[in-house]
Amino acid sequence: RVYPLVDDAVPWSAVPFDRYQVILVTGPQRSGTTWVACALASSLGYSLYDERHPITGGNDTLRALQRTFAYLRAKGERAVIQSPMGTKDLHLLPAWPGLLVAFMARSCLDVFRSQNKVDRQQGGWTCSAGRTRELRKYLNRPDLRPHFDERDMICKVKQDVWRWLQAPELQRRAAAREFGALNLSATVDFDSFRSHPLWMRGEQRASLGVKSTNCELLRSTPGRTRWSTQQWMAA
């Protein structure tokens, strides 16, 4: 009950990431999406659009991803997007050959421990956000509600919804002739990234923070202001 995706996850090295124009890295908060997105973008030579980027911002995550996809397709730009906030909308995304939705699979006990290194003054992220704002997003959605048990950790809630609703839907859509042999989704084992050149052992990461990693691309994310999204879209 702490790792629903354990049998579904594949090693990162088994996924042909370089065959895709746009890779969306998503999954529960603190499942490794920040580092994985940056590591993939670095190794592939792609642009990185992390969750702090002006174009990916806003309260409507689905709309933000739709406009980011449209922007990248219009530019013909190859990019990796990081969006843990987008988990609730993965089955509703616009799909085209060249998009890969990569869901990070990790033991929910490890995710729970990582989440609660954040917001410690509020009792940890689970109390400050996980069991409140994040769970509410799922409880308020009739399409998601049948696929999870609200008593579970938010990590398990998100994994269950991915496993039983979203991944099958994306697989169904990828069966269309236009996709050829390309998949639209992948469930990727976070721990398999231990073989990635940028991987750091736990003791090496001790001094790093939520958005402080050994991946240099994260430092290039532009700041977000009230008007930054509109300015970026007009560029």
Side-chain angles (χ1 to χ4, degrees):
R1 290 185 61 84
V2 298
Y3 195 177
L5 297 178
V6 63
D7 293 327
D8 301 334
V10 300
W12 75 276
S13 57
V15 181
F17 290 106
D18 59 353
R19 296 184 63 189
Y20 296 89
Q21 179 204 350
V22 175
I23 302 163
L24 172 63
V25 177
T26 187
Q29 283 86 345
R30 307 294 287 176
S31 62
T33 59
T34 296
W35 183 86
V36 166
C38 191
L40 287 176
S42 297
S43 59
L44 292 167
Y46 284 20
S47 302
L48 174 66
Y49 291 78
D50 82 352
E51 61 183 338
R52 302 168 303 157
H53 196 286
I55 201 173
T56 63
N59 294 325
D60 188 336
T61 310
L62 178 58
R63 183 177 179 184
L65 289 173
Q66 289 170 335
R67 71 169 173 246
T68 306
F69 290 169
Y71 174 85
L72 294 172
R73 294 187 73 184
K75 295 282 187 179
E77 185 175 344
R78 299 173 78 85
V80 180
I81 304 167
Q82 180 239 355
S83 181
M85 297 287 286
T87 52
K88 69 184 188 305
D89 297 315
L90 299 177
H91 57 304
L92 303 176
L93 293 172
W96 77 95
L99 171 67
L100 178 70
V101 180
F103 192 98
M104 289 301 104
R106 189 180 184 187
S107 167
C108 287
L109 286 180
D110 291 339
V111 172
F112 179 83
R113 294 187 187 102
S114 182
Q115 286 174 344
N116 289 295
K117 294 177 182 178
V118 182
D119 292 345
R120 289 182 174 176
Q121 292 183 343
Q122 288 79 42
W125 184 90
T126 298
C127 294
S128 66
R131 295 297 303 175
T132 53
R133 295 194 303 270
E134 284 302 302
L135 182 59
R136 192 179 305 121
K137 294 174 185 176
Y138 279 69
L139 290 172
N140 290 340
R141 288 280 295 274
D143 54 336
L144 307 181
R145 191 65 187 85
H147 303 285
F148 68 91
D149 186 334
E150 66 182 277
R151 297 169 295 181
D152 284 328
M153 292 181 285
I154 188 63
C155 168
K156 184 175 184 298
V157 167
K158 294 191 174 193
Q159 288 195 17
D160 281 339
V161 170
W162 170 256
R163 185 184 191 193
W164 299 115
L165 172 66
Q166 296 168 328
E169 170 60 17
L170 293 177
Q171 290 165 6
R172 184 191 66 78
R173 293 165 70 185
R177 181 177 301 177
E178 63 183 297
F179 284 87
L182 286 175
N183 292 318
L184 182 53
S185 62
T187 303
V188 186
D189 177 15
F190 172 74
D191 286 327
S192 73
F193 280 92
R194 294 176 186 275
S195 65
H196 192 280
L198 287 177
W199 181 268
M200 298 177 70
R201 295 189 303 272
E203 63 271 16
Q204 296 173 308
R205 300 195 303 268
S207 62
L208 301 177
V210 175
K211 291 295 179 182
S212 173
T213 79
N214 64 324
C215 190
E216 295 294 326
L217 271 181
L218 278 171
R219 300 181 183 180
S220 64
T221 298
R224 185 185 293 168
T225 66
R226 183 177 180 183
W227 305 110
S228 58
T229 299
Q230 181 177 351
Q231 292 167 352
W232 185 267
M233 291 292 290

